[in-house]
Amino acid sequence: MTTRLNPSQQAAVEHHEGPLLVVAGAGSGKTRVLTARIARLIEVHGVPPQAVLAVTFTNKAAGEMRERVGRFLGRDPAGMWIGTFHGIGARLLRMYADLAGRTPEYTIYDEDDTLAVVKRIVERLRIDPKQFAPKTIVHEISSAKNALVEPAEFEALARTPLAQAAAKVYRELEPALRQANAVSFDDLLVLPVRIMREHEHVRTRLAQRFQHVLVDEYQDTNRAQYEFVRLIAGDHGNLAVVGDDDQAIYGWRGADVRNILDFERDFPAATVVRLEDNYRSTAPILALANEVIARNESRRGKTLRATRAGGEKVILLEAADDRDEAEAIAEAVQQWRASRGTLRDCAVLYRTNAQSRSMEEAMRKAGVPYRLVGAVRFYDRREIKDLVAWLRLVANPADDEAFRRALTAPKRGVGDTTLDLLASEARALGLPLLEQCRRAAALEGVRPATRTALLDMAATVDRFRAIAVDTSVDQLLLQLIAAVGYDTALRAEGPEGLERLDNVRELVTSAAEVIIDDGGEVGLRPLDHFLQRATLVTGLDQLGPDADAVTMMTVHTAKGLEWPMVCVTGLEDGLFPLSRALSDPEMLEEERRLFYVAITRAGERLVLAWAHQRRRNGELLGSISSSFLRGLAPMHFERKATIRLRGSARLASPYPTSTPADVPGEPRPWRDEGLVSFARAKKVAWAPREGEKVSSFVQDEEASQDLPNFVRGERVRHAKFGSGTIAEVSGSGKEAKVTVDFDDEDIGRKRLVIAFAGLTRGFD
C-alpha cells in the first residue's frame, strides 16, 4: 500500500492517531495520500469504514475518493461517509431534523427559492428594494451565516444602512423557513453546528461514531466548516487535514486561511508533514512559482521541488494592447498544436470572465476551436443580451423579441398581463409592439404609471435612433446605459451585479473595436455591423467534451486542474491584481496566491502575457505590468514582444535588457472607477430631459490633448478609403469627427471619428 510513495507521502499515510496537518504543495500527490491513508486505517489498523468521515468540496472529488479507496482495499468501503460539507450536513440534519424545528422531509431551497422568500420579507417590512436590493441582502445574510453570526448578534453589529436592513430580514428569515419546513443552502452547515452546540449528547454521539475525520482542501474552509469539523473531532483529536495555504484563494466567499495557518494552535499535539515534491511542472515553472509566493508574509513556508528533468523557460509576452495580446495567444497555441499536435493540452486563464471576449474573438478569427468553462459565452450572458436587445430595437423598431427583452432591462413595472394586452392589441392592428407603446394612453385597464413607462420607452428608442445616425456604437451604448439606468440596476444586485458590470464594459470595448475595424466610419452601418457580429458569435456551435479545443476559464475555475501548456493573460496592475487589492495587503496576498495557482497549472510550457494598453469602456488606456512580475529574476523568463509592439516606437521597450520591474514607455496605472474612465472623459452628445436621472456612467467633457487637429480643406489619407479632402470638422475630444470627400467616387463622402480613423496628413 505504501509502494510508489515518497518519504513525505509515506509519513502522512502511516500516521495513525492524533491530529495531522499535511501541507500539500501543488502537484504533490495529495489525493493519493488522502485515499491511501483512509485505506490503511481500514486495512492495517482495523478501523471500521463506518467510523471514518471524509469531507471534501465537490461531489466529483468525493466520488473519486471513494473509488480510489475501493481500489486500494479491493472492495467498496461500505458504511464510510465520504461527501461534501453540505452533503454530509444535509445527512446529519435529516437525522436530527426535529432539533432544528424541521421534519426529515425538509426541502432544500436553492438560490432562487431563498431570494423569493427574502423578497416577500422585504415587501412585508416595507424595505425599499431599489435602495437595498434583495440579492444584496441575501448575500449579506449568507456571509453572516457562514461566519456563524446569529440574527441577534448581526443586528447588534449592524452599522451601515444596508446591514441594518439585512438584519431585519435575517431576523424574519429563519421563522419563515421553519414554517415552510425548508432550509437554505447555508443552513446545511449552520443548523448541524447549532444542533451540536446546543445538544451535547448529539455531539458526543457523532464524535464516538466518527473516530477518524479527514478533510481535503482545508485552506478553503470557512468558519462554519471549521466549527463543524472541530465539534466532531475535538474529543479524540483524530483529525487529518490536507491543504495548501499558498492556494487559499476563496477569501472573498468566506474561506479563512487562518484555519490552516493556526492548526497547531487549535490542536497543539499536531504532526505536520510537508509534501514538496512536484510531479506536474518542470523546474523553470516551479522556480518562478516559488519566488512569486515567497513574497507573501502570511504563509507556513515550503519550496516545491521538480521531479521532472529539463524544461523550457517561462515566456513573458508583451503586447501592444489587449487585441494584440489575444491574437498573440491564439498564435502561441497554434504553434503548440503544430509541434505537439493537440489543442486539448492548452489552457488560457484570465482573472475575470469579462476578459474572455477578446480571447474568444481572437480564437474565432484564427480558426482555433475553444471551449469556455465555468462561464457563459460572452454574447450569451444575460447583461450582454439585454443591451444588445436595446441596440437591436434602436436599429429595428419592429423587432418584437428585442422589445420584450428590453422592456425588462431594467424592469420598469410592466407586468405580463399588460404585455399580453399590448401584444393582443398590436396583433389586431398589425403593429409592432414598440409602435403600440405610443398608443398606450388608449389601453383600458392599464395603470397610469405603466402607461408612462411604456411611453417613456418609446421616446427613449426614438431619441436614440436619432443619436445613432451620427454617433459611434460605443458612445451610443454609453449614453443608452445611462439613460435607462442599466448600470444602476446592476449595482443594486450586489457582487454578482458588479461582475456583470465588467462584462458591460467589455461590450462597450467591443463596440469601439467595430469602429476601429471600419476605419472610424460612423452612422447606422456600424451599428448593423456590430449587431451582425454579435449574432454570429451567439450562433457558434457548442463543442463537445471530447473536441480538440483550447480550454478558456478564470484562474479560480482552474484550481485543481492542469495542462501541459498554460497561458495566463492580463497581467497588469488593476486587473491582476485587481485594483481594489492594491490598497489592501490581505487581499493583495490572496491575489498573489491566485497568481501562484495559475502558474502551477502548467506542466511544460507557461506563457505570461500583458499589454501596454487595454481598452476600457471602448477607450484605449495605458497599463503597467503586474506588480507580481516586477523584481523577479530575469533568468526565469524568455522575453518576447509581439510584432505590433516591436513596430511601435512609442510603446516598445528596449530588448533584451529591460525587466518586468521597469518597463519604459508611457504606461499609466489602469484602475477601475466604475464605468467612468479616469484617463479620458467622453463628451455627452445628448442632454437629459427635465427630471431624468443622469447616471455616473456618463462622463463630463474633457478635450483630449493627444488627437490631431484638422481643418476644412486639408488633404488627408485613410488606410482603407485612400486620399480625400476634409469638408467639415465637428465635436471635440474623443468625439471629434470629420467629414471627408474621398477621391474615389465609389467611396464618396464619409463621416469619421478622428480617434479611430487613423488619418494622416498630406497627399499621395
Side-chain angles (χ1 to χ4, degrees):
M1 183 175 298
T2 57
T3 58
R4 294 189 299 154
L5 294 176
N6 65 41
S8 296
Q9 291 174 329
Q10 189 163 332
V13 169
E14 292 183 352
H15 177 276
H16 180 202
E17 293 184 327
L20 171 68
L21 168 62
V22 181
V23 182
S28 62
K30 71 176 179 64
T31 305
R32 176 175 175 78
V33 166
L34 199 58
T35 52
R37 175 176 170 77
I38 294 172
R40 183 178 176 84
L41 286 172
I42 297 171
E43 191 78 0
V44 176
H45 297 291
V47 177
Q50 60 268 26
V52 176
L53 172 64
V55 190
T56 186
F57 273 80
T58 67
N59 290 312
K60 180 181 178 182
E64 291 175 352
M65 192 182 298
R66 175 177 288 278
E67 184 180 340
R68 286 197 185 194
V69 171
R71 286 204 302 267
F72 272 120
L73 294 174
R75 66 183 187 278
D76 181 64
M80 182 174 66
W81 281 31
I82 301 182
T84 65
F85 273 103
H86 290 91
I88 290 172
R91 193 169 175 179
L92 290 178
L93 190 55
R94 292 199 189 279
M95 291 172 58
Y96 301 104
D98 59 317
L99 299 180
R102 272 74 166 178
T103 72
E105 296 77 29
Y106 68 81
T107 300
I108 300 173
Y109 277 2
D110 62 16
E111 291 181 5
D112 290 340
D113 295 327
T114 303
L115 179 61
V117 176
V118 167
K119 283 181 176 178
R120 286 195 292 273
I121 295 173
V122 165
E123 184 177 357
R124 186 170 70 248
L125 296 177
R126 297 185 177 180
I127 295 171
D128 184 358
K130 294 181 179 178
Q131 184 179 5
F132 305 112
K135 274 193 174 182
T136 305
I137 291 177
V138 168
H139 175 75
E140 290 285 312
I141 294 174
S142 176
S143 297
K145 285 189 174 186
N146 284 310
L148 295 180
V149 178
E150 296 288 345
E153 182 183 1
F154 186 79
E155 190 167 15
L157 294 173
R159 294 292 180 268
T160 67
L162 172 61
Q164 290 165 356
K168 295 177 182 177
V169 176
Y170 190 10
R171 187 179 56 222
E172 301 289 329
L173 181 58
E174 170 60 15
L177 291 173
R178 191 185 305 117
Q179 183 176 347
N181 194 30
V183 297
S184 69
F185 195 64
D186 297 321
D187 289 333
L188 296 177
L189 285 174
V190 174
L191 292 179
V193 167
R194 185 184 297 166
I195 290 170
M196 284 189 281
R197 281 177 167 179
E198 296 177 355
H199 302 277
E200 180 63 21
H201 71 283
V202 173
R203 190 199 63 77
T204 302
R205 189 180 306 165
L206 292 174
Q208 292 173 344
R209 160 78 188 268
F210 299 115
Q211 286 297 305
H212 285 270
V213 180
L214 301 95
V215 183
D216 193 14
E217 303 288 1
Y218 191 66
Q219 78 280 350
D220 293 333
T221 53
N222 59 31
R223 176 68 184 177
Q225 291 159 342
Y226 161 82
E227 189 69 4
F228 181 89
V229 170
R230 190 193 66 80
L231 286 167
I232 294 177
D235 287 350
H236 52 67
N238 294 330
L239 172 65
V241 302
V242 181
D244 182 5
D245 53 302
D246 289 335
Q247 296 187 70
I249 59 174
Y250 294 114
W252 53 275
R253 70 181 189 192
D256 192 344
V257 69
R258 290 173 297 184
N259 290 346
I260 192 170
L261 293 178
D262 298 339
F263 187 78
E264 294 98 321
R265 182 202 65 188
D266 301 322
F267 299 92
T271 298
V272 179
V273 177
R274 284 177 169 80
L275 305 183
E276 298 177 303
D277 288 336
N278 178 283
Y279 296 92
R280 175 189 304 158
S281 306
T282 59
I285 293 173
L286 293 182
L288 175 64
N290 287 330
E291 186 175 355
V292 165
I293 201 61
R295 297 182 180 185
N296 270 9
E297 295 181 3
S298 299
R299 62 188 297 260
R300 305 188 67 92
K302 66 178 180 305
T303 302
L304 295 180
R305 298 183 294 264
T307 59
R308 302 177 58 179
E312 61 187 56
K313 283 188 174 183
V314 175
I315 297 170
L316 178 60
L317 179 66
E318 292 185 58
D321 56 37
D322 47 334
R323 295 180 77 190
D324 189 34
E325 176 195 53
E327 290 167 2
I329 293 297
E331 182 180 353
V333 297
Q334 286 177 303
Q335 291 173 352
W336 172 275
R337 177 168 58 178
S339 61
R340 305 297 177 93
T342 178
L343 295 174
R344 194 180 296 111
D345 290 338
C346 303
V348 178
L349 307 182
Y350 32 78
R351 178 62 183 84
T352 67
N353 275 315
Q355 291 170 256
S356 76
R357 198 269 313 169
S358 59
M359 289 296 162
E360 288 182 66
E361 294 189 357
M363 295 296 176
R364 289 180 57 250
K365 183 178 178 181
V368 177
Y370 67 89
R371 181 185 299 106
L372 205 63
V373 177
V376 180
R377 289 176 183 268
F378 185 78
Y379 285 97
D380 287 339
R381 293 167 185 163
R382 181 250 288 178
E383 61 276 14
I384 304 305
K385 282 182 167 290
D386 285 348
L387 292 173
V388 167
W390 272 103
L391 292 178
R392 283 169 49 192
L393 197 59
V394 169
N396 174 20
D399 188 338
D400 284 351
E401 290 307 310
F403 172 87
R404 288 176 179 273
R405 184 162 196 124
L407 186 64
T408 60
K411 293 180 179 179
R412 48 182 47 80
V414 180
D416 291 340
T417 301
T418 300
L419 183 58
D420 290 343
L421 177 61
L422 195 72
S424 176
E425 293 280 347
R427 281 194 302 272
L429 297 170
L431 296 174
L433 287 172
L434 183 66
E435 182 61 31
Q436 186 62 20
C437 272
R438 298 187 178 90
R439 303 164 54 89
L443 293 177
E444 295 183 4
V446 176
R447 294 182 296 113
T450 303
R451 290 196 186 98
T452 300
L454 293 172
L455 290 170
D456 282 349
M457 182 171 181
T460 298
V461 174
D462 291 343
R463 191 151 46 96
F464 279 92
R465 278 185 62 76
I467 292 172
V469 174
D470 194 35
T471 305
S472 57
V473 186
D474 62 319
Q475 278 293 297
L476 189 70
L477 260 172
L478 285 167
Q479 297 166 24
L480 183 60
I481 291 165
V484 303
Y486 194 77
D487 59 322
T488 302
L490 287 182
R491 284 194 183 93
E493 294 183 8
E496 181 184 339
L498 294 178
E499 185 173 337
R500 292 185 185 279
L501 276 176
D502 280 336
N503 295 330
V504 170
R505 297 182 186 104
E506 273 301 307
L507 182 67
V508 175
T509 294
S510 177
E513 289 178 0
V514 171
I515 307 303
I516 295 170
D517 292 340
D518 286 347
E521 185 177 359
V522 295
L524 278 177
R525 200 189 71 78
L527 175 56
D528 295 334
H529 181 190
F530 173 76
L531 290 172
Q532 175 181 307
R533 186 171 73 171
T535 302
L536 291 176
V537 171
T538 302
L540 282 174
D541 293 334
Q542 298 290 325
L543 291 168
D546 299 323
D548 185 30
V550 177
T551 301
M552 301 200 302
M553 63 177 71
T554 65
V555 183
H556 277 104
T557 307
K559 185 173 179 292
L561 304 176
E562 60 184 88
W563 298 267
M565 178 183 180
V566 170
C567 303
V568 185
T569 65
L571 282 164
E572 298 133 35
D573 272 354
L575 184 55
F576 201 174
L578 294 176
S579 56
R580 59 179 177 267
L582 296 175
S583 58
D584 185 333
E586 188 173 319
M587 189 180 298
L588 187 63
E589 290 213 344
E590 179 159 320
E591 289 282 303
R592 187 177 285 109
R593 292 194 292 266
L594 189 62
F595 182 39
Y596 172 83
V597 167
I599 293 171
T600 53
R601 299 310 94 199
E604 300 173 29
R605 181 175 298 174
L606 175 63
V607 179
L608 306 177
W610 73 283
H612 282 256
Q613 293 181 312
R614 190 166 294 273
R615 288 172 180 82
R616 195 67 167 171
N617 286 358
E619 187 174 13
L620 202 59
L621 304 177
S623 304
I624 59 175
S625 62
S626 172
S627 57
F628 297 157
L629 296 174
R630 287 176 237 147
L632 297 177
M635 59 179 289
H636 291 316
F637 301 105
E638 176 186 351
R639 293 172 59 84
K640 291 187 177 181
T642 64
I643 294 175
R644 275 187 57 200
L645 182 63
R646 291 198 301 270
S648 171
R650 186 173 71 85
L651 288 178
S653 52
Y655 284 86
T657 57
S658 64
T659 71
D662 183 19
V663 179
E666 299 179 359
R668 292 186 300 270
W670 178 82
R671 66 183 186 231
D672 184 354
E673 300 263 353
L675 291 171
V676 180
S677 162
F678 80 98
R680 290 287 185 270
K682 294 182 179 292
K683 179 182 179 181
V684 181
W686 61 283
R689 292 174 298 171
E690 184 176 353
E692 182 176 58
K693 179 182 178 182
V694 180
S695 167
S696 61
F697 193 90
V698 180
Q699 305 160 18
D700 296 329
E701 180 179 353
E702 179 185 295
S704 172
Q705 302 300 313
D706 297 335
L707 298 178
N709 295 315
F710 293 103
V711 296
R712 290 180 58 186
E714 187 172 4
R715 290 286 289 174
V716 293
R717 179 168 180 78
H718 187 280
K720 182 177 180 181
F721 304 133
S723 297
T725 303
I726 293 179
E728 296 177 8
V729 180
S730 63
S732 62
K734 285 290 186 179
E735 274 299 287
K737 303 181 184 71
V738 290
T739 301
V740 181
D741 290 326
F742 286 98
D743 299 344
D744 189 330
E745 293 182 357
D746 291 335
I747 295 174
R749 175 171 286 197
K750 297 286 186 183
R751 190 161 176 77
L752 310 172
V753 177
I754 296 175
F756 299 137
L759 295 173
T760 56
R761 290 186 167 90
F763 296 89
D764 294 313

